Amino acid sequence: MSGFDLSGLTASFGGERVIGPLSLRIQPGEKVALVGKSGAGKSTLINLIHERVNRESSLVPQALGLVNALPVFHNVFMGRLDRHATWYNTVTLVRPFSSDRTDVRALLQELGMPEKLWMPVASLSGGQRQRVAIARAVYRDAPLLLADEPVSALDGPMAHAVMELLKNRFATSVIALHDVEMALRYCSRIVGIQDGQIALDDHSERLTASDIMSLY
């Protein structure tokens, strides 16, 4: 993989520019944390990157994008809908194939909720719903992970377990994180966003939490 060269990223709302124009090059194997205060443009930037790379990304949006009426299994399976023929997806809606059931259950096991496989998403807690969105992204297994505050609804131990899982499963990632310590611990590069522009871009090993807090 040659990496992702993202130039000319820009977004406006109501005639007012909120992001960019900015450029971001992501090298293969980089784990990038997007940091900055609420409203700085981190979520918008994640969405812009997703639009640019599209099918090459596994996305965990902040709004999660789950279908409440469907069970956990089908929400996770959606990560690979575009990899199967229409007939396969239609059959799966009624009677999933055993290999897919096994794969999704194993993923839920890693996330501490295998017993939720056939539960409707609407019945889950906020933290469980977030883990379903994470499972869908991991199941997709795309070259680039894009995640917007993926552990915001999880307690300490589970948040660290999920960040470890994402670190191990995706060689290359861009993760928007509010938690500076988490960003320094699990990401190799810190990109700070301020007023829609890149205000900081450095290797995490060269930074401390206080270096990043000036963005907040």
Side-chain angles (χ1 to χ4, degrees), residues 108-123:
L108 293 176
Q109 180 80 47
E110 286 192 69
L111 289 163
M113 50 187 295
E115 75 287 353
K116 303 295 185 185
L117 186 66
W118 302 112
M119 295 283 288
V121 164
S123 70

PDB file of all heavy atoms in Angstrom, residues 108-123:
ATOM      1  N   LEU A 108     -17.210 -10.533  18.476  1.00  0.00           N
ATOM      2  CA  LEU A 108     -17.955 -10.073  19.646  1.00  0.00           C
ATOM      3  C   LEU A 108     -17.348 -10.634  20.936  1.00  0.00           C
ATOM      4  O   LEU A 108     -17.383  -9.989  21.988  1.00  0.00           O
ATOM      5  CB  LEU A 108     -19.429 -10.470  19.536  1.00  0.00           C
ATOM      6  CG  LEU A 108     -20.217  -9.778  18.415  1.00  0.00           C
ATOM      7  CD1 LEU A 108     -21.635 -10.330  18.350  1.00  0.00           C
ATOM      8  CD2 LEU A 108     -20.252  -8.268  18.617  1.00  0.00           C
ATOM      9  N   GLN A 109     -16.790 -11.833  20.841  1.00  0.00           N
ATOM     10  CA  GLN A 109     -16.106 -12.425  21.994  1.00  0.00           C
ATOM     11  C   GLN A 109     -14.937 -11.536  22.418  1.00  0.00           C
ATOM     12  O   GLN A 109     -14.725 -11.277  23.615  1.00  0.00           O
ATOM     13  CB  GLN A 109     -15.592 -13.823  21.626  1.00  0.00           C
ATOM     14  CG  GLN A 109     -14.860 -14.537  22.757  1.00  0.00           C
ATOM     15  CD  GLN A 109     -15.818 -15.161  23.766  1.00  0.00           C
ATOM     16  OE1 GLN A 109     -16.776 -15.825  23.395  1.00  0.00           O
ATOM     17  NE2 GLN A 109     -15.560 -14.926  25.043  1.00  0.00           N
ATOM     18  N   GLU A 110     -14.174 -11.052  21.451  1.00  0.00           N
ATOM     19  CA  GLU A 110     -13.048 -10.166  21.738  1.00  0.00           C
ATOM     20  C   GLU A 110     -13.506  -8.867  22.392  1.00  0.00           C
ATOM     21  O   GLU A 110     -12.773  -8.239  23.152  1.00  0.00           O
ATOM     22  CB  GLU A 110     -12.282  -9.844  20.457  1.00  0.00           C
ATOM     23  CG  GLU A 110     -11.434 -10.989  19.940  1.00  0.00           C
ATOM     24  CD  GLU A 110     -10.485 -10.518  18.849  1.00  0.00           C
ATOM     25  OE1 GLU A 110      -9.551  -9.762  19.158  1.00  0.00           O
ATOM     26  OE2 GLU A 110     -10.702 -10.903  17.683  1.00  0.00           O
ATOM     27  N   LEU A 111     -14.743  -8.462  22.074  1.00  0.00           N
ATOM     28  CA  LEU A 111     -15.279  -7.210  22.594  1.00  0.00           C
ATOM     29  C   LEU A 111     -16.155  -7.432  23.829  1.00  0.00           C
ATOM     30  O   LEU A 111     -16.845  -6.521  24.294  1.00  0.00           O
ATOM     31  CB  LEU A 111     -16.079  -6.495  21.503  1.00  0.00           C
ATOM     32  CG  LEU A 111     -15.206  -5.912  20.376  1.00  0.00           C
ATOM     33  CD1 LEU A 111     -16.041  -5.600  19.142  1.00  0.00           C
ATOM     34  CD2 LEU A 111     -14.474  -4.664  20.850  1.00  0.00           C
ATOM     35  N   GLY A 112     -16.144  -8.665  24.346  1.00  0.00           N
ATOM     36  CA  GLY A 112     -16.824  -8.967  25.595  1.00  0.00           C
ATOM     37  C   GLY A 112     -18.333  -9.001  25.529  1.00  0.00           C
ATOM     38  O   GLY A 112     -19.013  -8.770  26.538  1.00  0.00           O
ATOM     39  N   MET A 113     -18.906  -9.339  24.352  1.00  0.00           N
ATOM     40  CA  MET A 113     -20.371  -9.390  24.263  1.00  0.00           C
ATOM     41  C   MET A 113     -20.876 -10.448  23.273  1.00  0.00           C
ATOM     42  O   MET A 113     -21.782 -10.173  22.480  1.00  0.00           O
ATOM     43  CB  MET A 113     -20.928  -8.004  23.898  1.00  0.00           C
ATOM     44  CG  MET A 113     -20.262  -7.335  22.706  1.00  0.00           C
ATOM     45  SD  MET A 113     -20.793  -5.608  22.427  1.00  0.00           S
ATOM     46  CE  MET A 113     -22.515  -5.810  22.002  1.00  0.00           C
ATOM     47  N   PRO A 114     -20.327 -11.673  23.318  1.00  0.00           N
ATOM     48  CA  PRO A 114     -20.772 -12.704  22.360  1.00  0.00           C
ATOM     49  C   PRO A 114     -22.235 -13.083  22.529  1.00  0.00           C
ATOM     50  O   PRO A 114     -22.901 -13.490  21.564  1.00  0.00           O
ATOM     51  CB  PRO A 114     -19.854 -13.888  22.681  1.00  0.00           C
ATOM     52  CG  PRO A 114     -19.473 -13.691  24.115  1.00  0.00           C
ATOM     53  CD  PRO A 114     -19.340 -12.206  24.273  1.00  0.00           C
ATOM     54  N   GLU A 115     -22.758 -12.929  23.752  1.00  0.00           N
ATOM     55  CA  GLU A 115     -24.155 -13.318  24.014  1.00  0.00           C
ATOM     56  C   GLU A 115     -25.155 -12.353  23.373  1.00  0.00           C
ATOM     57  O   GLU A 115     -26.360 -12.630  23.338  1.00  0.00           O
ATOM     58  CB  GLU A 115     -24.395 -13.392  25.539  1.00  0.00           C
ATOM     59  CG  GLU A 115     -24.525 -12.056  26.256  1.00  0.00           C
ATOM     60  CD  GLU A 115     -23.214 -11.282  26.423  1.00  0.00           C
ATOM     61  OE1 GLU A 115     -22.141 -11.844  26.089  1.00  0.00           O
ATOM     62  OE2 GLU A 115     -23.273 -10.135  26.882  1.00  0.00           O
ATOM     63  N   LYS A 116     -24.658 -11.237  22.827  1.00  0.00           N
ATOM     64  CA  LYS A 116     -25.550 -10.233  22.222  1.00  0.00           C
ATOM     65  C   LYS A 116     -25.750 -10.456  20.722  1.00  0.00           C
ATOM     66  O   LYS A 116     -26.403  -9.652  20.058  1.00  0.00           O
ATOM     67  CB  LYS A 116     -24.985  -8.818  22.442  1.00  0.00           C
ATOM     68  CG  LYS A 116     -24.742  -8.440  23.896  1.00  0.00           C
ATOM     69  CD  LYS A 116     -26.028  -8.364  24.686  1.00  0.00           C
ATOM     70  CE  LYS A 116     -25.772  -7.860  26.103  1.00  0.00           C
ATOM     71  NZ  LYS A 116     -26.994  -7.881  26.928  1.00  0.00           N
ATOM     72  N   LEU A 117     -25.209 -11.540  20.177  1.00  0.00           N
ATOM     73  CA  LEU A 117     -25.192 -11.766  18.724  1.00  0.00           C
ATOM     74  C   LEU A 117     -26.547 -11.541  18.056  1.00  0.00           C
ATOM     75  O   LEU A 117     -26.634 -10.903  17.002  1.00  0.00           O
ATOM     76  CB  LEU A 117     -24.691 -13.186  18.432  1.00  0.00           C
ATOM     77  CG  LEU A 117     -24.475 -13.541  16.958  1.00  0.00           C
ATOM     78  CD1 LEU A 117     -23.351 -12.717  16.352  1.00  0.00           C
ATOM     79  CD2 LEU A 117     -24.176 -15.027  16.803  1.00  0.00           C
ATOM     80  N   TRP A 118     -27.608 -12.056  18.663  1.00  0.00           N
ATOM     81  CA  TRP A 118     -28.937 -11.966  18.021  1.00  0.00           C
ATOM     82  C   TRP A 118     -29.859 -10.944  18.682  1.00  0.00           C
ATOM     83  O   TRP A 118     -31.028 -10.866  18.373  1.00  0.00           O
ATOM     84  CB  TRP A 118     -29.609 -13.350  17.988  1.00  0.00           C
ATOM     85  CG  TRP A 118     -28.751 -14.345  17.269  1.00  0.00           C
ATOM     86  CD1 TRP A 118     -28.107 -15.417  17.803  1.00  0.00           C
ATOM     87  CD2 TRP A 118     -28.378 -14.317  15.887  1.00  0.00           C
ATOM     88  NE1 TRP A 118     -27.361 -16.068  16.850  1.00  0.00           N
ATOM     89  CE2 TRP A 118     -27.519 -15.414  15.659  1.00  0.00           C
ATOM     90  CE3 TRP A 118     -28.689 -13.482  14.814  1.00  0.00           C
ATOM     91  CZ2 TRP A 118     -26.964 -15.698  14.414  1.00  0.00           C
ATOM     92  CZ3 TRP A 118     -28.137 -13.751  13.569  1.00  0.00           C
ATOM     93  CH2 TRP A 118     -27.291 -14.856  13.383  1.00  0.00           C
ATOM     94  N   MET A 119     -29.312 -10.147  19.584  1.00  0.00           N
ATOM     95  CA  MET A 119     -30.113  -9.107  20.235  1.00  0.00           C
ATOM     96  C   MET A 119     -30.308  -7.929  19.282  1.00  0.00           C
ATOM     97  O   MET A 119     -29.379  -7.532  18.572  1.00  0.00           O
ATOM     98  CB  MET A 119     -29.407  -8.611  21.501  1.00  0.00           C
ATOM     99  CG  MET A 119     -29.275  -9.652  22.591  1.00  0.00           C
ATOM    100  SD  MET A 119     -30.818  -9.914  23.470  1.00  0.00           S
ATOM    101  CE  MET A 119     -30.923  -8.392  24.407  1.00  0.00           C
ATOM    102  N   PRO A 120     -31.512  -7.331  19.261  1.00  0.00           N
ATOM    103  CA  PRO A 120     -31.676  -6.120  18.450  1.00  0.00           C
ATOM    104  C   PRO A 120     -30.831  -4.992  19.034  1.00  0.00           C
ATOM    105  O   PRO A 120     -30.733  -4.835  20.246  1.00  0.00           O
ATOM    106  CB  PRO A 120     -33.165  -5.810  18.545  1.00  0.00           C
ATOM    107  CG  PRO A 120     -33.661  -6.560  19.735  1.00  0.00           C
ATOM    108  CD  PRO A 120     -32.769  -7.746  19.908  1.00  0.00           C
ATOM    109  N   VAL A 121     -30.215  -4.231  18.168  1.00  0.00           N
ATOM    110  CA  VAL A 121     -29.331  -3.152  18.608  1.00  0.00           C
ATOM    111  C   VAL A 121     -30.073  -2.146  19.487  1.00  0.00           C
ATOM    112  O   VAL A 121     -29.498  -1.553  20.399  1.00  0.00           O
ATOM    113  CB  VAL A 121     -28.696  -2.466  17.369  1.00  0.00           C
ATOM    114  CG1 VAL A 121     -28.081  -1.126  17.720  1.00  0.00           C
ATOM    115  CG2 VAL A 121     -27.629  -3.373  16.770  1.00  0.00           C
ATOM    116  N   ALA A 122     -31.362  -1.960  19.230  1.00  0.00           N
ATOM    117  CA  ALA A 122     -32.157  -0.996  19.998  1.00  0.00           C
ATOM    118  C   ALA A 122     -32.167  -1.307  21.498  1.00  0.00           C
ATOM    119  O   ALA A 122     -32.381  -0.415  22.319  1.00  0.00           O
ATOM    120  CB  ALA A 122     -33.588  -0.944  19.467  1.00  0.00           C
ATOM    121  N   SER A 123     -31.934  -2.578  21.856  1.00  0.00           N
ATOM    122  CA  SER A 123     -32.009  -2.980  23.269  1.00  0.00           C
ATOM    123  C   SER A 123     -30.676  -2.829  24.003  1.00  0.00           C
ATOM    124  O   SER A 123     -30.591  -3.110  25.201  1.00  0.00           O
ATOM    125  CB  SER A 123     -32.474  -4.441  23.357  1.00  0.00           C
ATOM    126  OG  SER A 123     -31.457  -5.319  22.877  1.00  0.00           O
TER     127      SER A 123
END
